[in-house]
Amino acid sequence: GENVEQHPSTLSVQEGDSAVIKCTYSDSASNYFPWYKQELGKRPQLIIDIRSNVGEKKDQRIAVTLNKTAKHFSLHITETQPEDSAVYFCAATTVASNDYKLSFGAGTTVTVRA
Amino acid sequence: DGGITQSPKYLFRKEGQNVTLSCEQNLNHDAMYWYRQDPGQGLRLIYYSQIVNDFQKGDIAEGYSVSREKKESFPLTVTSAQKNPTAFYLCASSKFLRTGDYGYTFGSGTRLTVV
């Protein structure tokens, strides 16, 4: 099965700085890579995703990059704000199969210092 | 609240007792999932179901059981065979392949504690 590793486990940044979270995956057939944000005491919510036919995707202050050759993908948050403080999870799966399920990384706790 | 409801929010289980966690969705999603969340270990898949009356084991199915008698409902039973059940349990649903929308919608979770 798919194995997703995520680094770092914790990340502290000054407000206004950038944050980068990196994930690697093991299954070369994986072709869908979402990122979820979980604020304290709340449910995870999808913030951005990328398909394997795209190398980069942006949505305002967040962006995701994918390197299929190296089997890694990254989340970039620019101009961080206090409300970006949360746990972030990366995930991977193969959507072409009839056995669709996401494999998640262990999560990164991001703290934005005011 | 978001179309997928988990209950109860908090649950306490005595040693040797079975407990059932509820998950209901009104999003008309085909697929439903149960994940367990422990600090530092991310989300680990317990069971999932792509269609009614069918389900598959995930990575950590031992000590758990599920049913999928209705499209809207996917209850999880934590049996006495699960030796370390204290955790946060998340239910999720997905439209699956038909619409090309692959993201999960999560419930708000159930925190289970063994007392």
Side-chain angles (χ1 to χ4, degrees), chain A residues 8-74:
Chain A
S9 58
T10 61
L11 181 60
S12 180
V13 297
Q14 190 70 36
E15 183 177 358
D17 288 350
S18 295
V20 181
I21 304 170
K22 298 181 179 181
C23 290
T24 61
Y25 61 98
S26 60
D27 188 352
S28 57
S30 288
N31 55 11
Y32 175 64
F33 308 92
W35 286 86
Y36 287 83
K37 176 184 180 182
Q38 185 179 29
E39 297 178 31
L40 189 63
K42 296 188 177 181
R43 71 189 75 192
Q45 293 197 312
L46 178 69
I47 55 171
I48 195 167
D49 57 15
I50 192 167
R51 314 278 168 91
S52 60
N53 59 347
V54 176
E56 183 175 5
K57 184 177 179 180
K58 291 183 179 180
D59 184 2
Q60 299 182 342
R61 294 187 298 107
I62 60 173
V64 57
T65 59
L66 171 65
N67 183 326
K68 287 189 294 182
T69 303
K71 291 192 285 188
H72 68 70
F73 56 112
S74 301

Side-chain angles (χ1 to χ4, degrees), chain B residues 4-60:
Chain B
I4 181 166
T5 303
Q6 288 187 244
S7 62
K9 189 171 183 177
Y10 299 96
L11 186 58
F12 297 90
R13 191 193 93 167
K14 294 181 180 179
E15 294 284 350
Q17 189 179 48
N18 292 355
V19 292
T20 298
L21 284 59
S22 171
C23 179
E24 304 274 337
Q25 55 98 359
N26 61 5
L27 301 166
N28 197 33
H29 283 179
D30 295 302
M32 297 187 73
Y33 309 83
W34 275 105
Y35 284 84
R36 170 177 170 147
Q37 185 174 16
D38 296 282
Q41 296 193 55
L43 305 178
R44 293 183 292 166
L45 183 63
I46 305 172
Y47 269 99
Y48 62 107
S49 169
Q50 310 282 20
I51 58 173
V52 175
N53 292 323
D54 189 37
F55 49 83
Q56 289 77 40
K57 292 182 179 179
D59 300 319
I60 56 166

